[in-house]
Amino acid sequence: LFGALHAYEAVERQSPGARNTLVMGPWYHGGWNSSQGDSLGAIEWGSATSLFYTDSIEGPFFDHWLKGAPDPGLPEAFVFDTGAKGWRRFDTWPPAQTQDAALYLHEGGALGFDPPATAARDFDEYVHDPANPVPYTNEVVEWYDPAFMLEDQRFASRRPDVLDYRTPVLEEDVTVAGPIQVSLTVSTSGTDADWVVKLIDVFPDSLEGGDPVPLGGYEMLVRGDVMRGKFRNSLAEPEPFRPNAPTAVAFTLQDAFHTFKKGHRIMVQIQSSWFPMVDLNPGTFMDIFQATEADFRATTQRVYRSPARPSSLTVKRLGP
């Protein structure tokens, strides 16, 4: 997504008079052309999204600009909601009707829109061992599995080196539309660490259906990305962590358009490896390409979540 989203944003900023339409569909790379687009992995979309794109968006676009057909009147943004499972049209992207809403980490694995008040302990911690990294997928595959983008994350939730936080059962739909800002206060016993953050839709346990993966309790990945800690302030000038010192780490998860339905939960997972999607961090501030086996060591990571040291994800919540 990175190239398309940033190309769109750059055209909007630098050429405000240009005709510029963003289309986001629920596809793997090239899936808009090589598949029906009616599902991805275990998740069905309820319609042939690729056919809709080619017949109602791409075809009319080229017919107009190359063959002189009537202007199809495409919106500024044509985006598929991966939770409500339908297309929406918007005059701007992110939509003008959004408001920033922070999801705060709380004690006891809780997650909520209210900031933390008090906590018996102001952090959660785990041991990250490069010899036993968290995989990016639970599938055993020879090559890249494009369905990892919405794969069930229960395999990660069961691990002691993955923190997870979840809201109570939602009493109303929550729709997020746009980029997601990560703001963490963390520490590591080493001098470098990766911080992988995932936003997840937890389905109700009572949900029926799903083949071959039952969808009851399914933890659907909505967005995930990584910040290699030494680049937290600059790609040009990496900095080590001071061991065990609380440190701010902020970065952006790429744009999502997803409705967390009433009866579902919102989850955030935090871990320090996503192997082999992301190469292993030895936990030592160094040129990783020059690392030897002796440089890799287990480190203790802490994520803080107190009033003085909060951690949160800020989403753009779409109003009615």
Side-chain angles (χ1 to χ4, degrees):
L1 298 177
F2 186 93
L5 289 169
H6 283 75
Y8 170 80
E9 189 274 334
V11 172
E12 287 293 290
R13 184 180 68 253
Q14 299 176 32
S15 302
R19 186 88 172 260
N20 191 25
T21 297
L22 176 71
V23 180
M24 291 177 62
W27 309 305
Y28 56 86
H29 183 71
W32 55 270
N33 185 52
S34 60
S35 73
Q36 294 279 319
D38 54 356
S39 66
L40 183 57
I43 305 300
E44 296 182 354
W45 303 125
S47 64
T49 62
S50 298
L51 297 182
F52 175 82
Y53 170 69
T54 54
D55 293 349
S56 300
I57 300 176
E58 184 190 31
F61 172 86
F62 283 117
D63 284 345
H64 172 64
W65 292 106
L66 300 181
K67 298 182 178 180
D71 190 328
L74 296 178
E76 179 71 17
F78 224 141
V79 190
F80 189 84
D81 185 328
T82 50
K85 300 182 180 180
W87 290 94
R88 290 280 300 272
R89 302 164 65 104
F90 294 104
D91 296 332
T92 61
W93 186 263
Q97 308 95 309
T98 60
Q99 292 186 336
D100 287 351
L103 281 162
Y104 291 94
L105 311 187
H106 289 265
E107 190 173 20
L111 182 70
F113 288 106
D114 295 323
T118 59
R121 189 173 74 163
D122 70 346
F123 63 84
D124 296 308
E125 70 179 16
Y126 57 94
V127 174
H128 165 63
D129 184 357
N132 182 27
V134 182
Y136 83 94
T137 179
N138 197 42
E139 299 295 322
V140 179
V141 291
E142 181 182 4
W143 184 234
Y144 160 81
D145 179 10
F148 93 92
M149 294 182 289
L150 42 67
E151 186 177 345
D152 187 354
Q153 298 301 299
R154 281 178 286 192
F155 76 92
S157 296
R158 291 190 287 264
R159 293 180 58 111
D161 52 355
V162 177
L163 300 179
D164 64 71
Y165 304 84
R166 64 187 73 196
T167 66
V169 174
L170 297 175
E171 297 181 355
E172 61 181 6
D173 290 356
V174 174
T175 300
V176 299
I180 301 155
Q181 305 299 328
V182 176
S183 178
L184 303 179
T185 305
V186 299
S187 67
T188 176
S189 61
T191 51
D192 192 15
D194 291 349
W195 305 98
V196 178
V197 177
K198 298 182 286 187
L199 180 65
I200 295 164
D201 185 343
V202 182
F203 294 7
D205 290 337
S206 59
L207 189 65
E208 297 181 355
D211 183 25
V213 180
L215 294 181
Y218 192 96
E219 296 176 2
M220 173 182 166
L221 181 61
V222 175
R223 279 292 176 269
D225 217 328
V226 58
M227 169 56 68
R228 177 142 289 168
K230 65 182 178 183
F231 297 119
R232 63 194 179 276
N233 295 319
S234 169
L235 289 173
E237 299 179 6
E239 304 171 46
F241 283 84
R242 190 157 54 90
N244 302 312
T247 304
V249 172
F251 62 102
T252 303
L253 302 184
Q254 297 173 62
D255 299 31
F257 184 40
H258 185 84
T259 295
F260 297 86
K261 302 290 287 183
K262 177 182 177 180
H264 291 220
R265 298 173 187 259
I266 304 173
M267 174 191 277
V268 170
Q269 284 186 351
I270 300 174
Q271 58 202 55
S272 289
S273 50
W274 216 14
F275 188 75
M277 183 66 66
V278 178
D279 62 347
L280 293 175
N281 192 322
T284 303
F285 180 75
M286 63 180 302
D287 179 354
I288 291 179
F289 294 110
Q290 303 302 318
T292 67
E293 186 174 352
D295 293 313
F296 289 83
R297 60 192 181 92
T299 52
T300 299
Q301 326 291 49
R302 289 180 175 178
V303 177
Y304 295 81
R305 40 157 183 74
S306 68
R309 294 169 176 161
S311 293
S312 64
L313 269 69
T314 297
V315 299
K316 292 189 175 296
R317 187 170 179 178
L318 183 64

